[in-house]
Amino acid sequence: MVIVTTIRREVITLPAADLGPDNPLPPLRPLDEVHRVEVRDRDELPRDMARQVGLAPLRSLLPVRVRDGYGRERAPRDIDALVIENDRLRATVLPGLGGRVASLFHKPTGRELLYRNPVFQPANFALNGAWYSGGIEWNIGATGHTTLSVAPLHAARVPAPDGGEMLRLWEWERLRDLPFQVDLWLPEDSDFLYVGVRVRNPHEKPVPTYWWSNIAVPEERRVLVPAREAWRFGYERRLRKVPAPEHPEVQQLPCAADYFYDLPDERRRWIAALDEDGYGLVQTSTDALRGRKLFVWGKGTGGRRWQEWLTEPGTGGYCEIQAGLARTQLEHVRLDAESEVSWLEAYGPLSSPGTADEVEEHLAAVLPRADVDAAYEAWKPHADAEPGEILAVGSGWGALEVLRADWKLPGTPFDESTLGEDQEPWRQLLRAGSFPDPRRVRPPGETLVARHWRDMLETAPATPLTEYHLGVAQWHDGDQAQAVRSWERALELAPSLWPLLRCLAVADHEAGNHERAADRYAEAFDDLCHERRDTGASWTAATAALGREAIEALLAVRRTEQARAVWDRLHPATRERGRFRLIEASLLLAEGRREEARAVFDTGFEVADLREGAEAIGRLWARVAEEPLPDRYDFRMRPQEE
């Protein structure tokens, strides 16, 4: 019996860690992004690549907040899923977690084509923190994993090119202020999942754009691609041309590495990951999706530890095959004013035990290049089709921007009904010209930093809260002196001082005035402790975030007694978190209590939000112990200096 393509709701249950609250402090500091090339090395790159590597890097994460409230205690949790299925394939999509394709199951062979993570465990890999491994993820915004990694997307049924249904996902990407959509459908009897992607620039100026589709597959698979050379990037931040690696070499790499394959312009765009029998997944696309990449963790202790960290020991590791708009993941491409870029991807099974050329022949037999191009042309008119039944709801930020600019975005409606509490003050600023005071005392909400919102803040009545948000927008725009003046003006009348003092402390730190930064951090934390109203999630998150920054600032200028006073006023549950156990060890060491600092390590802790590429644990261990770093604390991702 032929099964007609269907889309249905489903609930999957996984051992899952709680995401927790977002960090309420605006991320003012420069990004500590590991995926970048040192400026001195760009002269060695091709001219177009060097230009795109240096194109409009992010100044900060604003207006997005950092997501660092998650832990590592997992319990069974129901997760909403959308399943699209025909008689050959079943794709499981998680609209509330970035629209990820968590599973792609080939029914005739009974095989999973992806690496399907058996748990949901956030880790600090996204640009703004929380990210999880497995499946196919859609990365838009800037170099790195998208800030939408664990965020809800809008989802709906839409007519498909073949007369059936397709699943549309869409959202507003806030780092670059760009709407995008991902359309997934399974033609009847097809062994391939088709994915149409469109990114639009509604602005009157060019915008730097970034896209990579990241596909997790079991790490032992042999990766094949139509290229003889690749650009290798390791976590020492060097990008260099090398021969495309062979499978045995990849399997023995000691450390994590990226290989960006240098596909000849005339070759078909595809990448495959096949098991020892020659069976596995192939991804191909229209030519707009130019780049292909392999990421591996390596066989070193750090790579093995990360694999365990992101899932469960004994469940098998993964590598990533990827496809992007540029040759490397370190580049952005220019999207002209009032224009768009779109392409079509196809994902499906392939069986071919041979070379890359033989794989391409098999791919041509089961899915000719012309068929992919034809499917793209058939999809384009449907990209504007209005969604039917709404299956999931994302954020209200897109609705706010559409309301402001009266943009017409066929196919991706950002309805005013999706506006929520976070957007309401900004809607009032837009409508009434003034920023409303909060109805109750609480940490400030998110700040919008695009130039049009900054202009509105500058003409609004200068209340303390308006000046606070204006200062954040000015800081993001690179106007630090004006930002400091705005925050200092607000201090004179503000009922809540700690948000302003914390911003001024960051400004002092960035200016090299570390003593005054420490003073302001201490004053800010004291004010927060007097102001906080309860032990609810928002106040607890604010206390933890500000306390962490304050302790680090005070220790940096050797004011250990004041740092200890901040520590003592943190909530007991906060002090038990792994990140704060690490801080406690630093504090004990600063107090000259080396054995007690070592005892923190011996007792054991897990820093849930340990950053990709971070080496803070290893550096502190070297100060408290003579032995090599224990495996449980080894997350190093680059070769170690002898």
Side-chain angles (χ1 to χ4, degrees):
M1 181 182 71
V2 175
I3 299 178
V4 177
T5 300
T6 61
I7 299 173
R8 69 176 188 274
R9 288 187 172 92
E10 193 173 277
V11 175
I12 62 174
T13 303
L14 291 177
D18 186 19
L19 274 172
D22 289 353
N23 187 324
L25 306 183
L28 301 177
R29 287 194 172 92
L31 290 176
D32 182 21
E33 176 51 53
V34 298
H35 298 100
R36 62 181 175 86
V37 179
E38 301 293 350
V39 174
R40 66 176 181 271
D41 296 327
R42 293 179 189 171
D43 290 342
E44 302 175 11
L45 304 178
R47 185 173 300 176
D48 62 332
M49 185 184 292
R51 182 177 64 252
Q52 293 187 158
V53 165
L55 178 62
L58 289 180
R59 296 191 191 95
S60 73
L61 278 175
L62 291 163
V64 177
R65 283 189 163 175
V66 172
R67 309 202 75 164
D68 61 1
Y70 52 87
R72 291 191 53 80
E73 292 185 6
R74 297 194 286 261
R77 172 185 168 195
D78 290 341
I79 298 174
D80 290 333
L82 298 170
V83 176
I84 179 169
E85 180 174 16
N86 65 4
D87 60 336
R88 310 288 295 175
L89 282 175
R90 181 170 64 245
T92 303
V93 180
L94 308 181
L97 294 171
R100 186 163 311 193
V101 180
S103 168
L104 187 61
F105 184 77
H106 189 231
K107 295 158 76 171
T109 59
R111 295 191 183 186
E112 174 62 54
L113 299 179
L114 306 173
Y115 169 77
R116 184 171 188 174
N117 198 332
V119 306
F120 172 71
Q121 178 56 63
N124 193 358
F125 279 71
L127 284 164
N128 63 331
W131 170 87
Y132 63 109
S133 64
I136 306 170
E137 57 175 309
W138 318 112
N139 287 293
I140 181 174
T143 299
H145 293 283
T146 178
T147 62
L148 296 167
S149 290
V150 296
L153 303 189
H154 301 281
R157 299 179 193 269
V158 183
D162 61 356
E165 288 186 321
M166 62 183 175
L167 172 62
R168 175 164 298 161
L169 307 167
W170 74 98
E171 235 320 341
W172 192 274
E173 199 289 309
R174 300 177 66 202
L175 293 180
R176 303 298 193 183
D177 269 335
L178 299 177
F180 71 97
Q181 69 190 79
V182 179
D183 290 352
L184 305 97
W185 77 100
L186 285 168
E188 187 176 316
D189 297 327
S190 174
D191 274 319
F192 284 85
L193 173 69
Y194 286 167
V195 182
V197 183
R198 176 167 64 171
V199 181
R200 287 190 275 202
N201 176 15
H203 304 282
E204 296 178 348
K205 61 181 180 179
V207 176
T209 309
Y210 175 92
W211 183 281
W212 281 81
S213 301
N214 291 9
I215 309 136
V217 294
E219 68 175 339
E220 68 274 6
R221 290 193 180 174
R222 185 169 57 108
V223 174
L224 298 105
V225 66
R228 297 184 182 279
E229 294 183 306
W231 291 92
R232 186 190 187 280
F233 179 79
Y235 286 77
E236 65 274 15
R237 293 174 174 168
R238 296 292 305 276
L239 188 64
R240 56 190 177 87
K241 196 75 162 289
V242 298
E246 298 291 337
H247 181 64
E249 177 188 350
V250 169
Q251 292 297 300
Q252 296 304 317
L253 287 170
C255 296
D258 298 326
Y259 288 93
F260 300 101
Y261 294 102
D262 195 12
L263 275 66
D265 289 342
E266 70 279 2
R267 293 298 294 268
R268 183 177 183 179
R269 309 303 194 217
W270 63 269
I271 188 168
L274 309 179
D275 64 20
E276 59 184 8
D277 297 322
Y279 180 87
L281 173 81
V282 64
Q283 186 271 1
T284 187
S285 71
T286 49
D287 288 352
L289 204 62
R290 178 183 185 182
R292 293 298 185 275
K293 173 193 166 184
L294 165 66
F295 166 76
V296 293
W297 285 103
K299 294 297 183 184
T301 306
R304 296 299 90 198
R305 186 70 181 105
W306 274 119
Q307 293 270 35
E308 295 175 351
W309 189 256
L310 295 169
T311 179
E312 289 184 335
T315 56
Y318 75 95
C319 63
E320 287 181 353
I321 57 175
Q322 306 181 12
L325 282 175
R327 272 182 292 182
T328 75
Q329 211 170 40
L330 290 76
E331 301 170 68
H332 299 93
V333 298
R334 173 188 167 112
L335 186 57
D336 288 334
E338 299 178 332
S339 69
E340 64 182 50
V341 60
S342 62
W343 62 91
L344 185 130
E345 304 179 48
Y347 297 82
L350 190 74
S351 183
S352 176
T355 64
D357 288 341
E358 291 172 315
V359 169
E360 187 160 333
E361 290 178 7
H362 280 82
L363 176 59
V366 298
L367 186 63
R369 186 175 189 176
D371 286 5
V372 175
D373 292 338
Y376 171 66
E377 294 299 327
W379 166 71
K380 283 201 299 184
H382 290 77
D384 283 346
E386 288 305 307
E389 179 190 0
I390 300 298
L391 300 172
V393 178
S395 77
W397 296 113
L400 183 67
E401 294 297 336
V402 168
L403 184 66
R404 179 194 63 81
D406 194 29
W407 278 317
K408 308 302 180 187
L409 301 170
T412 54
F414 293 96
D415 194 85
E416 198 167 344
S417 64
T418 62
L419 292 169
E421 183 180 4
D422 291 339
Q423 294 82 41
E424 181 56 27
W426 299 95
R427 189 188 70 84
Q428 291 191 42
L429 175 64
L430 178 65
R431 290 286 175 82
S434 60
F435 201 89
D437 288 326
R439 296 179 180 176
R440 56 188 173 87
V441 177
R442 59 180 178 178
E446 297 182 58
T447 302
L448 298 183
V449 296
R451 188 69 201 207
H452 43 264
W453 293 108
R454 174 180 169 173
D455 290 345
M456 282 184 252
L457 290 168
E458 286 178 337
T459 57
T463 66
L465 186 56
T466 302
E467 294 278 26
Y468 162 81
H469 286 298
L470 175 58
V472 174
Q474 291 165 331
W475 181 271
H476 171 76
D477 211 25
D479 198 347
Q480 280 102 344
Q482 285 285 9
V484 168
R485 282 192 284 271
S486 294
W487 293 326
E488 288 177 340
R489 283 196 304 269
L491 274 177
E492 298 174 6
L493 297 173
S496 181
L497 301 180
W498 66 267
L500 298 159
L501 289 167
R502 183 264 175 178
C503 289
L504 290 167
V506 173
D508 286 332
H509 180 274
E510 293 302 305
N513 194 336
H514 300 298
E515 288 288 351
R516 191 166 68 177
D519 289 339
R520 281 177 160 158
Y521 266 122
E523 188 180 353
F525 189 77
D526 185 64
D527 185 69
L528 170 60
C529 289
H530 284 99
E531 184 177 285
R532 63 188 181 194
R533 295 296 189 263
D534 51 47
T535 56
S538 62
W539 285 109
T540 299
T543 304
L546 184 56
R548 171 180 168 178
E549 291 186 10
I551 291 172
E552 290 171 348
L554 289 162
L555 288 180
V557 294
R558 301 182 180 182
R559 286 154 64 170
T560 55
E561 189 173 333
Q562 284 182 285
R564 174 60 68 180
V566 172
W567 172 267
D568 289 341
R569 285 184 289 176
L570 293 172
H571 294 102
T574 297
R575 293 199 295 263
E576 291 302 312
R577 289 166 53 185
R579 166 62 62 183
F580 288 86
R581 296 300 311 283
L582 181 63
I583 291 172
E584 180 185 20
S586 296
L587 178 57
L588 289 166
L589 189 62
E591 293 171 331
R593 299 155 69 181
R594 186 170 181 266
E595 292 184 1
E596 292 175 71
R598 167 64 188 264
V600 174
F601 281 89
D602 293 339
T603 301
F605 59 86
E606 292 185 321
V607 181
D609 64 328
L610 187 68
R611 183 66 175 165
E612 174 188 11
E615 299 182 358
I617 294 178
R619 287 195 295 268
L620 186 59
W621 171 263
R623 297 175 62 196
V624 302
E626 303 294 334
E627 308 97 298
L629 181 66
D631 288 355
R632 67 181 297 183
Y633 297 123
D634 190 349
F635 293 90
R636 294 173 292 190
M637 296 179 69
R638 63 188 177 99
Q640 298 303 299
E641 298 177 0
E642 298 296 336

